[in-house]
Amino acid sequence: MKGRVIALDTLRGRQAAALIVDGRLEDFLIDPPDNAPVPGAIYRGIVERPMKGQGGVFVKLPDGASGFLRQVSGLVPGRPVLVQVSGAAEPGKAVPLTARLLFKSRYAILTPDAPGLNVSRRIRDAAVRAELDDLASGAMAGAAPGLGLILRSACAGADPEAVTRDIALMRGLAGAVLSDLAGGPELLVDGPGAQETAWRDWADPPPDEVAKGEGTFDALGVDGFLADVLSPRVPLPGGGHMMVEPTRALIAVDVNTGPDTSPAAGLKANIAAARDLPRQLRLRGLGGQVVVDFAPVPKKERALLEQVLRAAFKADGAESSLSGWTTLGLYELVRKRDRRPLAEELA
């Protein structure tokens, strides 16, 4: 199966979406099984007590939920505050929040308190950028002070009227939310579902096919893909493999060469693992601290391996920080928890 395919179907009674590129699962999303706060959702919360030493405050959310906002200045306990869910909550912990709201659609991102008109850097054609600059100026004429706009890469080649309508809808939504500060804890904007996120975030580059409807996942073998993802063992070229195993404290990754233990085989397995690691973490919904135990690698080859890792995580797009090698020869990095673990979603 060649090309870029977006598959939309249901799984276990919930809407889900799969991104398949050249016969390989690149991403998978599914609606949560409960009413847990979804990343991107916007709430009016109530400021609670500050947490000394942690640089933040707890925020009361609807239905008894609690969030944590890494901000103290300008916040008064008992007062309402607008917040957005910034990531997936760990079991037993508060929902991560941010006060920097973003209103995202397929074509645009509106940025309160961050003025300016910007076009995605992925659009490099000067003529297209100039046209989009003019479109943005017209669409944002008369906007509230401080409201900025980013035109996403999907705008390239899109119908200008569709982009303008999209911006107008986001402006209306932003205006309604930003003026709704009175009252108790309330959900103001629900977070996007799996299929809405797929339509919004997987549109660039444009898919070769969008397959949807009952039976789509069966036809494309999505169940088999998911079974592979739920296994800790990831096969690598040449008979090697890596084990991806979440623990309470961190994500442990172990790279093995298989029967061929030569330096060349070790380097090949390590490079393959480094290239595939971002995809494996994304599909599994894993984030936080990640520690990689690569197959034995001479110190002179560490720079090459780190270069491969940095390129792979840059292409992944998720917020990551690559810390480097430890004195014991392990590699450490941190990846943002942007969704719940797939094993929990499908439990």
Side-chain angles (χ1 to χ4, degrees):
M1 178 172 50
K2 294 293 185 180
R4 182 180 174 89
V5 179
I6 295 177
L8 308 176
D9 201 346
T10 59
L11 185 66
R12 301 185 181 182
R14 291 177 275 156
Q15 288 195 340
L19 176 63
I20 304 169
V21 180
D22 293 335
R24 188 175 80 162
L25 185 66
E26 289 293 328
D27 207 348
F28 179 81
L29 300 168
I30 185 169
D31 286 352
D34 49 36
N35 295 321
V38 177
I42 299 176
Y43 289 87
R44 182 177 61 241
I46 300 297
V47 178
E48 296 188 303
R49 66 188 189 280
M51 293 297 294
K52 294 182 179 180
Q54 295 189 26
V57 297
F58 281 110
V59 176
K60 183 186 295 184
L61 300 176
D63 301 322
S66 180
F68 184 74
L69 176 62
R70 292 193 177 279
Q71 178 181 334
V72 175
S73 61
L75 298 178
V76 179
R79 296 283 184 86
V81 61
L82 297 178
V83 291
Q84 189 165 35
V85 180
S86 59
E90 298 180 65
K93 294 188 178 181
V95 178
L97 304 173
T98 178
R100 295 186 176 182
L101 308 185
L102 295 177
F103 295 86
K104 295 184 178 182
S105 65
R106 185 182 185 189
Y107 296 119
I109 302 174
L110 264 65
T111 57
D113 300 321
L117 304 179
N118 299 280
V119 177
S120 170
R121 294 179 180 177
R122 296 180 65 178
I123 301 176
R124 299 182 179 180
D125 187 289
V128 174
R129 292 186 66 88
E131 291 175 0
L132 291 175
D133 280 333
D134 290 341
L135 185 152
S137 297
M140 293 296 287
L147 186 62
L149 171 70
I150 301 171
L151 291 183
R152 310 183 74 175
S153 56
C155 291
D159 180 3
E161 292 186 2
V163 177
T164 301
R165 287 195 301 270
D166 204 33
I167 297 171
L169 287 172
M170 287 298 101
R171 279 186 58 178
L173 178 61
V177 169
L178 296 174
S179 62
D180 193 4
L181 198 55
E186 183 180 349
L187 173 63
L188 301 179
V189 180
D190 202 356
Q195 295 188 2
E196 180 183 350
T197 300
W199 182 250
R200 186 187 71 190
D201 293 347
W202 297 348
D204 184 36
D208 297 291
E209 179 185 354
V210 176
K212 54 185 178 180
E214 186 177 352
T216 296
F217 282 176
D218 287 340
L220 296 176
V222 171
D223 285 345
F225 290 139
L226 294 179
D228 291 339
V229 172
L230 293 174
S231 168
R233 184 185 176 98
V234 181
L236 298 173
H241 68 275
M242 68 174 166
M243 302 294 292
V244 182
E245 298 176 297
T247 71
R248 183 177 294 274
L250 51 80
I251 311 301
V253 180
D254 183 39
V255 182
N256 299 282
T257 61
D260 188 347
T261 58
S262 66
L267 180 60
K268 182 178 180 181
N270 284 336
I271 289 178
R275 286 174 174 165
D276 198 34
L277 182 57
R279 183 179 74 97
Q280 292 296 332
L281 296 176
R282 179 175 65 249
L283 286 171
R284 296 161 191 263
L286 299 178
Q289 184 179 359
V290 181
V291 177
V292 186
D293 184 9
F294 284 105
V297 53
K299 287 187 176 180
K300 65 180 180 180
E301 293 179 352
R302 287 184 177 181
L304 170 62
L305 196 53
E306 185 164 10
Q307 183 178 1
V308 174
L309 274 170
R310 292 193 178 279
F313 276 93
K314 183 178 180 180
D316 177 51
E319 185 178 328
S320 303
S321 176
L322 277 62
S323 301
W325 300 92
T326 71
T327 55
L328 296 178
L330 306 175
Y331 195 89
E332 292 185 329
L333 62 97
V334 176
R335 185 182 189 274
K336 181 179 178 180
R337 291 184 177 91
D338 56 358
R339 63 183 71 169
R340 299 205 310 185
L342 183 64
E344 293 181 11
E345 295 283 25
L346 300 182

